[in-house]
């Protein structure tokens, strides 16, 4: 696999933070303009929030980030220090925040790990493991969560009925099926028959109208084989911590919103389960969003999914939700990226130059 530095740095561009910010603000402005129930007084509702619940929401999101840092360090076999793990996660989250959700930051993550001193084959394997674990959380967890929600998962919304023609449930199950199929195929390719996977890829891309991508398919097959070699022989004491960390990460991501909604309205146990379940639905739908970091899509669906519980507090909660769970990674990424580039590229070059001089 050849990493195109120009394309990677085009993605890791601090100037890109303005695109999702503008989209997000545009949606908020549209709510003010088109919804007669939303006005300046609506935003004042943010001051009605319970401070302890807000602090709990912040604490939970911090727990999630700690989980991410712990997981990447464990996945890499502790090849990364805690400090380097923090850099990797911040830049990975930044890449995900400035790219469409349907695209994600996979290539950037491989690039970052590679520049942190991890060989390319290993970097590919580690990123693929995180992707499969994240997908499996949805594939296995979604039916369990939906069962406990007792069918109260798809919101009754006139806006959704008119704009999506009652197809929200269909969109969810289509997205779910795609992720389940992808996870199954990739797991089989990585852990069972990587060479068979490569053979199938080459056969598929030997078809006349797909032939121009045959070389890329062959290269991707080689990557899978190399990644499979890296992961083969890993024992339970490798898989158990990163599996638990994955469950912890995604549970924390969702429980943050439960805490945030509880800051405005009291929730019983059943309502908490429904809110948690609806986030799973909303997240899978958001994953096919064409906008950077699901900007606009997230704000729109938030209102449709949770207005039932929040009523007049929907907009201020939506803004707080994005301020806590999304925008910090744009700011942190823009701040840490120049420092990381200096550390990874310039310091290494200076060190190499000094070694060459001392060697002479």
């Amino acid at each position: 696999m050849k990493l195109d530095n120009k394309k990677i740095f085009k993605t890791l561009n601090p100037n890109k933070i303005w695109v999702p910010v503008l989209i997000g603000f545009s949606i908020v402005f549209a709510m003010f303009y088109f919804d007669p129930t939303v006005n300046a007084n609506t935003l004042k509702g943010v001051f009605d929030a319970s401070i302890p619940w807000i602090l709990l929401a912040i604490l939970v999101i911090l727990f999630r980030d700690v989980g991410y840092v712990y997981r990447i360090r464990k996945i890499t076999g502790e090849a990364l220090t805690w400090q380097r793990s923090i850099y990797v996660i911040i830049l990975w989250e930044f890449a995900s925040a400035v790219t469409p959700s349907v695209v994600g930051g996979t290539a950037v993550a491989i690039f970052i790990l590679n520049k942190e001193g991890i060989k390319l084959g290993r970097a590919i394997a580690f990123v693929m493991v995180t992707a499969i674990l994240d997908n499996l959380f949805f594939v296995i967890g979604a039916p369990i969560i939906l069962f406990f929600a007792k069918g109260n998962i798809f919101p009754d919304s006139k806006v959704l009925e008119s704009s999506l023609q009652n197809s929200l449930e269909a969109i969810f199950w289509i997205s779910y099926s795609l992720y389940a199929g992808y996870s199954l195929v990739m797991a089989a390719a990585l852990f069972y028959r990587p060479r068979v996977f490569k053979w199938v890829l080459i056969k598929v891309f030997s078809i006349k109208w797909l032939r121009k991508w045959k070389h890329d398919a062959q290269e991707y097959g080689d990557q899978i084989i190399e990644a499979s070699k890296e992961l083969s022989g890993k024992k339970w004491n490798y898989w158990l911590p990163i599996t638990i960390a994955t469950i912890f990460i995604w549970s924390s991501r969702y429980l943050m919103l439960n805490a945030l909604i509880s800051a405005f309205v009291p929730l019983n146990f059943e309502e908490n389960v429904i809110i948690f379940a609806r986030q799973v639905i909303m997240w899978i739908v958001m994953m096919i969003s064409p906008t950077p970091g699901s900007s606009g899509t997230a704000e729109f669906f938030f209102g449709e999914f949770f207005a039932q519980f929040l009523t007049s507090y929907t907009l201020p909660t939506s803004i707080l939700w994005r301020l806590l769970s999304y925008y910090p990674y744009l700011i942190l990424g823009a701040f840490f990226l120049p420092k990381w580039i200096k550390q990874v590229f310039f310091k290494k070059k200076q060190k190499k130059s000094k070694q060459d001089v001392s060697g002479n």
Side-chain angles (χ1 to χ4, degrees), residues 190-318:
L190 268 180
F191 305 113
Y192 186 57
R193 287 287 189 271
R195 294 187 183 279
V196 172
F197 177 76
K198 179 185 174 181
W199 181 83
V200 171
L201 269 184
I202 292 172
K203 287 294 180 183
V204 169
F205 284 90
S206 295
I207 299 170
K208 187 177 180 181
W209 55 87
L210 297 175
R211 203 169 292 161
K212 64 179 179 178
W213 294 293
K214 185 178 178 180
H215 177 73
D216 292 336
Q218 187 171 351
E219 199 174 67
Y220 186 61
D222 290 334
Q223 294 166 21
I224 295 293
I225 292 170
E226 194 174 351
S228 179
K229 288 177 183 176
E230 174 61 35
L231 297 170
S232 63
K234 299 287 187 186
K235 296 181 180 179
W236 67 269
N237 57 353
Y238 175 82
W239 294 107
L240 184 61
I242 61 176
T243 301
I244 293 172
T246 300
I247 296 169
F248 177 82
I249 288 163
W250 286 99
S251 298
S252 298
R253 182 189 287 270
Y254 295 147
L255 288 171
M256 187 276 285
L257 182 56
N258 283 67
L260 200 57
I261 292 176
S262 296
F264 292 94
V265 294
L267 298 173
N268 58 37
F269 178 77
E270 185 180 348
E271 288 171 333
N272 271 295
V273 172
I274 292 170
I275 288 169
F276 192 97
R278 284 191 180 180
Q279 288 182 76
V280 177
I281 306 296
M282 187 174 75
W283 202 266
I284 291 180
V285 173
M286 281 166 54
M287 279 180 169
I288 60 174
S289 171
T291 59
S294 298
S295 292
T297 308
E299 288 83 356
F300 169 76
F301 277 109
F302 182 92
E304 302 307 317
F305 272 80
F306 303 112
Q308 169 189 343
F309 304 97
L310 287 161
T311 59
S312 61
Y313 292 116
T314 302
L315 183 59
T317 309
S318 170

Side-chain angles (χ1 to χ4, degrees), residues 34-78:
F34 294 107
D35 190 343
T37 63
V38 175
N39 51 52
N41 290 326
T42 305
L43 290 179
K44 292 180 182 178
V46 73
F47 296 107
D48 295 336
S50 166
I51 299 300
W53 279 110
I54 294 291
L55 293 175
L56 180 61
I58 294 170
L59 186 63
V60 170
I61 206 70
L62 288 174
F63 281 158
R64 187 204 75 162
D65 293 335
V66 170
Y68 269 130
V69 171
Y70 171 83
R71 185 176 71 166
I72 196 61
R73 190 162 187 264
K74 282 293 180 182
I75 284 176
T76 59
E78 299 187 359

Side-chain angles (χ1 to χ4, degrees), residues 24-38:
F25 276 112
S26 297
I27 292 296
V28 172
F29 176 78
M31 289 176 180
F32 272 99
Y33 189 80
F34 294 107
D35 190 343
T37 63
V38 175

Side-chain angles (χ1 to χ4, degrees), residues 116-134:
E116 286 289 341
I118 294 173
K119 289 182 179 180
L120 188 57
R122 299 186 73 209
I124 294 168
F126 297 148
V127 172
M128 290 185 73
V129 164
T130 61
I132 289 172
L133 286 173
D134 288 341

Side-chain angles (χ1 to χ4, degrees), residues 31 95 138 149 175 240 336 341:
M31 289 176 180
F138 292 110
S175 301
L240 184 61
F336 276 89
I341 291 171

